[in-house]
Amino acid sequence: MASHARQYIQDVWPIIFDHISAILAQAQWFSILLVERTVVGLLKLCQIAADEPSLHDQLFVALDTLGGLPNEVQNAVSEQLIAGLSLLLGQHRSAIRSSTEWKITYGLLRATIAHPAASKQTLELLATLINDESLPVDAVEGLVMVLNDIAALAGAAVEKKRTPHHNPTRSPLIERGCTAVDLLFKCCKFVPRIAATPSGQAQGWNKYALPILISLSHQSVNPCRDVRHTAIVFFQRTLMGPQIMHGGGTEQIVVAFHQTVFPLIQDLLDPGVYAHDPLPGGMSETRLRASGLLCRGFLYYLDPLSSQPETLTTLWLDVLELVEQLMMADTRSQLYEAVPESLKNVLLVMQASGALLSPTNPEDRPEEVQRRWQLTLEKMDSFLPGFLTDVIPLRVQSEAEMAPAAEVNPAEGGANASTAPKAS
C-alpha cells in the first residue's frame, strides 16, 4: 500500500519501518520466506525514500538495518539484496553523498559475495560503478575492498580443497576471483579524473589510487594460482602505467614501493606463504615474476628518483636487501640464477644514467654518488663478491695517464732541435 501511495510516504514511513525493523531484529526466528518478503518490501520503500530529501537519513538507517542482519540470514537473502541495491544504485546513486553512506552501501554488497548467483550480479554492479564517469573519491576505497574480498574468496576456497598432489580446476569461484582482479586493474582509468577534482586533490592520492595498488599487491600472493598470476601481471602494469601515479612525485613513488612492492616480496619470502602453492609453476614462478617486477619497477622510476639523490640511495639499498633475500631463499632454484642477470641490467642502466659510477682519480663524482657507490659495493660484496666491479669496472687512472703531455716551446728547445747539424 505504501509503495502505491508515494505521496504519503513521509507520514507512513515511521509506522512501516518500525514494523519491518521488529521482524528483521529477530530474523533468525522467523521463516526465511517472511524475511525475504520483508527485505524486498524494505528495499522497495528505499527506492521511494531516495526521492524524498526529508527521508535521506532514514534511507541509510534502513540500509544499515539490513547490514546488521546475521550472516546466515544475509546469505539467504543475498539475491534480494543485490537486486534491490542494483536498482537503488542505478536510479538513485546521487543519493549516496558521504563516505559513511558509501560504507553502508558497500557493507551490503560485501554480504552478497559468498552467494554464487548474487556474487555474479555484484560483479556486474561493480563494473557499472567503475564505468561511471561521476564516481566520487569517497566511493573508491569501498569498491576496491569488495573486489579484493571476492578475489580472496577464491584463494580461501582453493586452500580449503587443496591436497599435496591436488591441482584445482578453474571453478566459477575462481573465475569470479579473476574477474575481480581484472576490475581492480580497470579502476586505474578513473584515477586521472579523480585526481583533477577538488575532492580528489583535497583527500589525496593515498585515498583513491594507493588502495588499488595495495589490493593488486595482496592478490599477487593469493593461494589460487590463476588469481595470483593474473594479479601480478596487472600489478606490474599498474605500477608502471601512466595513470596510477598521475600528478604524483617522488614521495608517491616511495610510498608505492614501501606499501606494495616491498611487502609483496616479503610475503613471497615467507615459508608459510610459499607453502600455499609449492608445486612446479606455483610460488616459485611467482617469486621469479616478482623479482623482475622489483628490478623493472625501480628502473622505471629511476629518473624521477634521481631528483632526490638521498631518497634514491635509500630506496636502492632497500631493493638490494630484498634482492639478496630472494637469491638466498633457494640456491637451487631458477631464481638464484635469474636474479644476478636482472641485477646486472639495473647496474648498467644506473651507470648510463650517472646514478652509479665507479671511482676515478681525481674524483669527479657528486658526493651522494660517491656514497651510493661505497654502500652498494659493501652490500653487494656480502652476497655477490666482485660482481659490482665486474659489471662496472673501476675508472681509477694511472699516474702516466694523469701526467700532462710535455709541451715543446718553439722559441727554445724546438728551435734548437730544428737547427741542429745533421750527422755526416
Side-chain angles (χ1 to χ4, degrees):
M1 290 176 62
S3 63
H4 290 291
R6 291 172 175 248
Q7 66 272 29
Y8 301 117
I9 188 65
Q10 294 183 56
D11 299 323
V12 301
W13 177 275
I15 301 170
I16 299 174
F17 184 64
D18 284 348
H19 178 66
I20 288 176
S21 297
I23 296 174
L24 296 180
Q26 303 182 61
Q28 65 270 34
W29 303 112
F30 292 104
S31 72
I32 194 60
L33 183 59
L34 174 62
V35 174
E36 285 180 359
R37 289 177 176 176
T38 304
V39 168
V40 170
L42 181 55
L43 286 168
K44 285 182 178 179
L45 291 175
C46 285
Q47 296 286 330
I48 302 172
D51 287 326
E52 294 291 335
S54 61
L55 291 177
H56 179 267
D57 290 343
Q58 290 303 310
L59 166 64
F60 289 94
V61 170
L63 294 179
D64 197 34
T65 299
L66 292 171
L69 291 172
N71 290 339
E72 61 273 15
V73 175
Q74 285 184 337
N75 189 59
V77 298
S78 288
E79 290 182 272
Q80 290 76 20
L81 282 175
I82 189 58
L85 286 171
S86 294
L87 285 173
L88 185 64
L89 286 167
Q91 300 174 10
H92 305 283
R93 194 195 61 70
S94 60
I96 310 174
R97 303 169 189 165
S98 70
S99 58
T100 300
E101 291 166 359
W102 277 109
K103 185 176 180 180
I104 291 171
T105 305
Y106 283 127
L108 279 175
L109 287 175
R110 292 177 78 182
T112 68
I113 64 175
H115 190 282
S119 60
K120 184 178 179 180
Q121 291 179 271
T122 301
L123 280 169
E124 292 172 356
L125 177 57
L126 294 173
T128 302
L129 288 176
I130 292 171
N131 291 323
D132 187 343
E133 290 295 327
S134 61
L135 190 74
V137 63
D138 287 331
V140 175
E141 193 169 6
L143 172 61
V144 170
M145 190 178 300
V146 179
L147 290 171
N148 187 76
D149 288 349
I150 294 173
L153 274 179
V158 168
E159 274 293 279
K160 187 175 181 181
K161 295 179 180 179
R162 176 174 281 130
T163 60
H165 301 288
H166 175 63
N167 188 16
T169 56
R170 190 152 171 150
S171 67
L173 191 59
I174 293 175
E175 290 285 354
R176 292 195 292 274
C178 291
T179 300
V181 170
D182 180 64
L183 290 176
L184 279 169
F185 177 64
K186 289 178 179 176
C187 286
C188 297
K189 69 181 182 181
F190 59 58
V191 169
R193 178 185 61 77
I194 291 179
T197 63
S199 59
Q201 293 170 3
Q203 297 195 44
W205 177 84
N206 288 14
K207 184 73 173 179
Y208 58 81
L210 185 59
I212 301 171
L213 275 175
I214 290 176
S215 183
L216 286 171
S217 174
H218 286 170
Q219 296 311 319
S220 295
V221 293
N222 192 301
C224 174
R225 186 179 300 184
D226 290 330
V227 172
R228 184 173 70 250
H229 286 178
T230 301
I232 199 166
V233 168
F234 284 144
F235 179 42
Q236 178 167 311
R237 290 184 189 175
T238 304
L239 180 69
M240 292 182 274
Q243 296 168 318
I244 202 71
M245 295 293 185
H246 185 81
T250 305
E251 183 180 348
Q252 285 182 193
I253 297 169
V254 173
V255 169
F257 270 82
H258 279 283
Q259 294 198 31
T260 66
V261 181
F262 294 165
L264 168 61
I265 303 296
Q266 289 159 352
D267 285 344
L268 288 169
L269 289 167
D270 184 341
V273 172
Y274 188 85
H276 289 322
D277 190 2
L279 299 175
M283 286 296 178
S284 59
E285 172 67 20
T286 308
R287 280 181 176 177
L288 189 62
R289 295 187 185 192
S291 69
L293 182 152
L294 175 66
C295 294
R296 285 191 290 272
F298 177 77
L299 287 181
Y300 184 82
Y301 290 108
L302 182 59
D303 283 348
L305 286 168
S306 297
S307 65
Q308 295 189 18
E310 293 183 4
T311 300
L312 172 59
T313 300
T314 301
L315 194 68
W316 166 236
L317 292 174
D318 290 336
V319 169
L320 279 181
E321 176 65 30
L322 290 173
V323 166
E324 177 185 9
Q325 292 181 39
L326 283 167
M327 274 196 66
M328 298 301 110
D330 186 355
T331 57
R332 298 168 298 175
S333 69
Q334 183 182 356
L335 186 64
Y336 185 76
E337 298 177 358
V339 167
E341 285 301 313
S342 296
L343 191 54
K344 179 180 179 180
N345 184 53
V346 175
L347 294 173
L348 290 173
V349 174
M350 291 180 73
Q351 180 193 29
S353 69
L356 192 65
L357 299 173
S358 58
T360 187
N361 190 7
E363 185 59 73
D364 59 355
R365 300 172 299 166
E367 185 176 337
E368 185 60 27
V369 175
Q370 296 178 42
R371 174 174 170 268
R372 189 180 303 136
W373 172 270
Q374 187 58 36
L375 292 172
T376 302
L377 182 63
E378 293 171 2
K379 180 61 184 173
M380 292 192 63
D381 276 353
S382 68
F383 67 98
L384 282 173
F387 187 81
L388 177 59
T389 51
D390 284 344
V391 177
I392 306 178
L394 298 177
R395 300 184 300 152
V396 177
Q397 297 175 345
S398 66
E399 292 184 7
E401 291 173 323
M402 289 190 295
E407 294 185 359
V408 178
N409 188 339
E412 298 177 1
N416 293 336
S418 63
T419 58
K422 296 180 182 180
S424 55

